[in-house]
Amino acid sequence: MTVTDETTEAALQERFDATLADGRKIEPRDWMPEPYRQTMIRQIAQHAHSEVIGQQPEGNWITRAPTLARKAVLVAKVQDEAGHGLYLYSACETLGISRDELNRRLHEGRQKYSSIFNYPTLTWADVGAIGWLVDGAAITNQVMLTRTSYGPYARAMIRICKEESFHQRQGFEIMHTLATGTDEQRAMAQDALDRWWWPSISMFGPPDAESVHTEQSVAWGIKLETNDQLRQKFVDQTVPQADYLGLRIPDPDLRWNEERGHYDFGAIDWDDFWKVVRGDGPCNRERLEHKRATWEAGAWVREAALAHAAKKSGRDTTTEEAR
Ligand code: FAQ
């Protein structure tokens, strides 16, 4: 590196640091350190993959939703998740990587998606529990991300959060209907809460002391709160909701701590979390296999769309020339 290059690099770094310090956004055409770009690609891709694979557990219930109205809402919700994936892939592409490459990395197991989508949806109450708890946890994290330092990601999050709030409420409403229904329905709601509680609070990621990326991501303004802070926020807001539903959170150590002004809760089984993250959860193989199969089966649609776009742009040019 020459002296001029070094000076330029230092000046660029200084401008990047100043942008962050002023609370302004980093935009696609701005210079950014390569590790920042790679971190953004990793996180946004993982997030996009989660939205897309996250369609599977609830999609499983579209044909068996108990009423036509429930079916219509569920179809719309699952479709919203696909839309979130699309906004996020678009945001990720502004970092100089293609959607095809992101999919390739996922399909080859080189990129992750959220641990939470590796659990089965055994009853209709699981659809309620996902909306209430999983969308609830996702919003807690994503409200923070509306202020993240990378502009396209932050802007995508604003719209996603609005839709996730609707999803969370529809989940809570399903749980409320079941919790105030027959004994059997109430038992279904409790069983779903029993199975989804621990996976939901672990989806915020490992404890801060073991989170390899948090310190740097906080320094870059990617994360504004840590995994443990967000988890605590989620527990604090969800416990009163469970009380309102008359359901019991499956944690004997859960209690209000007057001194801290927060709920204390029991130890999370991190061995189980890592097992799921590493590919050995109840549904990992099935989820990824289905994702790969639909990608392959949809190849003709992508090819047809590209051929149509090429044909249309050719026709438009002809029309222009004819004018
Ligand atoms: N699952 O150092 P950290 C949704 C990995 S969207 C799998 O703490 P970081 C909507 C992590 O990648 C849900 N892996 O990492 C919906 C890293 O491994 P790596 C998705 C996990 O990035 C609702 C390693 O552990 N939301 O639900 C998980 O600073 C209903 C060390 O961890 C997002 O993706 C996990 N749970 O913090 C859809 C939000 N946690 O990459 C359908 C954006 C951690 O070095 C139905 N992402 N790991 O190989 C984030 O905010 C962050 O990436 C965290 C992790 C907080 C997830």
Side-chain angles (χ1 to χ4, degrees):
M1 210 187 254
T2 64
V3 174
T4 324
D5 285 343
E6 273 172 19
T7 320
T8 314
E9 178 98 5
L12 290 169
Q13 179 72 48
E14 211 171 290
R15 197 187 305 160
F16 174 84
D17 293 343
T19 305
L20 293 181
D22 290 352
R24 284 177 288 125
K25 302 288 176 221
I26 305 298
E27 295 297 340
R29 288 199 184 89
D30 293 343
W31 179 90
M32 60 189 90
E34 192 50 27
Y36 176 90
R37 182 189 302 278
Q38 292 309 325
T39 297
M40 275 328 325
I41 291 176
R42 178 185 64 79
Q43 178 163 330
I44 303 176
Q46 177 169 327
H47 196 164
H49 299 326
S50 303
E51 300 280 359
V52 171
I53 293 197
Q55 294 174 95
Q56 292 185 40
E58 289 167 291
N60 179 37
W61 278 89
I62 289 174
T63 54
R64 289 170 292 151
T67 67
L68 184 58
R70 292 285 190 207
K71 190 192 289 265
V73 172
L74 186 57
V75 168
K77 197 242 186 224
V78 171
Q79 191 172 308
D80 282 352
E81 307 300 359
H84 297 173
L86 296 185
Y87 311 153
L88 288 166
Y89 284 125
S90 298
C92 204
E93 283 182 310
T94 65
L95 291 155
I97 187 161
S98 72
R99 200 174 301 197
D100 280 357
E101 175 57 19
L102 295 171
N103 272 288
R104 194 170 308 119
R105 290 184 188 181
L106 172 68
H107 298 157
E108 290 173 2
R110 291 189 286 136
Q111 278 180 342
K112 296 186 165 75
Y113 61 92
S114 181
S115 51
I116 194 74
F117 302 116
N118 292 303
Y119 296 87
T121 38
L122 304 178
T123 73
W124 169 251
D126 289 18
V127 174
I130 290 180
W132 173 35
L133 300 174
V134 178
D135 284 279
I139 302 169
T140 308
N141 172 287
Q142 289 168 183
V143 165
M144 164 191 83
L145 291 173
T146 60
R147 292 177 292 124
T148 194
S149 57
Y150 188 57
Y153 191 28
R155 290 188 287 274
M157 280 300 130
I158 293 171
R159 182 160 174 188
I160 291 179
C161 280
K162 287 185 183 154
E163 294 177 355
E164 299 286 32
S165 313
F166 162 74
H167 296 169
Q168 197 267 352
R169 268 173 259 169
Q170 69 86 38
F172 187 78
E173 201 267 330
I174 292 175
M175 292 303 272
H176 186 256
T177 304
L178 294 173
T180 54
T182 62
D183 287 351
E184 202 182 340
Q185 286 174 318
R186 198 178 172 69
M188 267 171 68
Q190 182 62 56
D191 169 61
L193 172 57
D194 290 347
R195 285 180 291 105
W196 287 92
W197 175 253
W198 292 104
S200 299
I201 65 169
S202 36
M203 84 186 253
F204 289 94
D208 293 350
E210 287 160 37
S211 163
V212 286
H213 301 297
T214 292
E215 195 182 341
Q216 182 60 73
S217 288
V218 168
W220 276 328
I222 296 172
K223 277 175 151 179
L224 296 134
E225 289 169 88
T226 68
N227 300 357
D228 285 334
Q229 287 168 340
L230 291 169
R231 188 171 6 255
Q232 182 72 61
K233 197 180 260 188
F234 174 74
V235 171
D236 289 349
Q237 73 200 19
T238 309
V239 174
Q241 295 171 2
D243 288 345
Y244 181 82
L245 292 173
L247 298 176
R248 181 187 30 79
I249 289 183
D251 179 355
D253 297 323
L254 185 76
R255 60 184 57 85
W256 178 252
N257 183 324
E258 196 62 53
E259 218 170 284
R260 291 201 311 123
H262 293 290
Y263 282 93
D264 288 338
F265 51 93
I268 294 174
D269 183 349
W270 291 112
D271 288 344
D272 185 64
F273 169 79
W274 289 117
K275 202 172 109 186
V276 176
V277 170
R278 294 195 180 111
D280 219 6
C283 300
N284 293 63
R285 285 171 195 79
E286 179 186 330
R287 299 287 186 243
L288 205 51
E289 202 37 61
H290 186 68
K291 172 69 181 68
R292 285 195 200 104
T294 51
W295 179 257
E296 279 161 27
W300 71 270
V301 179
R302 293 190 298 278
E303 280 159 25
L306 284 173
H308 178 69
K311 197 166 144 193
K312 201 157 169 274
S313 68
R315 221 187 274 139
D316 286 345
T317 315
T318 318
T319 318
E320 285 288 312
E321 278 166 7
R323 273 196 206 125

